[in-house]
Amino acid sequence: TRLPPGVIVTFTSNSSVTITGPSEGAINDALSLLEVRPGKDNGENITVSVIPTAEETNPTEVGQIEVAVPRATNSASFTIPVIPEVDSIPNITIKMNNVTGIEDTEVILG
C-alpha cells in the first residue's frame, strides 16, 4: 500500500508515529492505512494517544498583522481492548506399564 503524495510518516523509538502531509485529506488517507497490533503473546490492552496539530502556513488575515492562533493542538486518548486467543491446548497421552518408584527419586515412565 502506498502513502498519498506528500505524506511523511516518522516512527520513533518510543512507539510514537508522526504523520505530516500537505492536507487534512492526505493525512486522513494515511491514517486509514495505519494498523495497531499487540505483540506476540501479549494480552495487554493498547492505549492510543492522538495529538493532532494544525499549523497555519500563511498566517495573515485581512486587517490583521497576525493570525490569532497560528498553531492549534488538541489531544485525545482511547484504549483498544485486546482479547488474547488461547493457542490449542495439546492433548498429551502417556502410555504407562506398571511403574513403581521410591519417593523423592527419579522415576522412569517409559
Side-chain angles (χ1 to χ4, degrees), residues 10 12 19 25-26 42 44 57-58 60 62 72 74 77 81 94 97:
T10 307
T12 62
I19 301 175
N42 183 350
E44 300 292 321
T57 58
N58 187 13
T60 59
V62 177
N74 202 346
S77 295
I94 300 175
N97 295 323

Side-chain angles (χ1 to χ4, degrees), residues 84-98:
E85 294 181 7
V86 177
D87 294 332
S88 63
I89 299 172
N91 186 7
I92 300 174
T93 303
I94 300 175
K95 183 177 179 182
M96 296 174 40
N97 295 323
N98 291 329

Side-chain angles (χ1 to χ4, degrees), residues 16 21 24 31 39 41 48 59 65 67 71 73 77 80 83 89-91 93 101 103 109:
S16 294
E24 180 181 352
L31 283 171
D41 297 327
V48 177
I65 296 175
V67 171
R71 172 179 254 176
T73 301
S77 295
I80 301 172
I83 302 170
I89 299 172
N91 186 7
T93 303
E103 182 178 354
L109 298 176

Side-chain angles (χ1 to χ4, degrees), residues 1-44:
T1 306
R2 299 189 74 178
L3 290 173
V7 172
I8 299 171
V9 178
T10 307
F11 298 92
T12 62
S13 60
N14 65 350
S15 300
S16 294
V17 178
T18 301
I19 301 175
T20 57
S23 68
E24 180 181 352
I27 292 171
N28 285 338
D29 288 346
L31 283 171
S32 72
L33 302 173
L34 186 65
E35 293 182 4
V36 179
R37 298 180 185 177
K40 182 171 174 38
D41 297 327
N42 183 350
E44 300 292 321

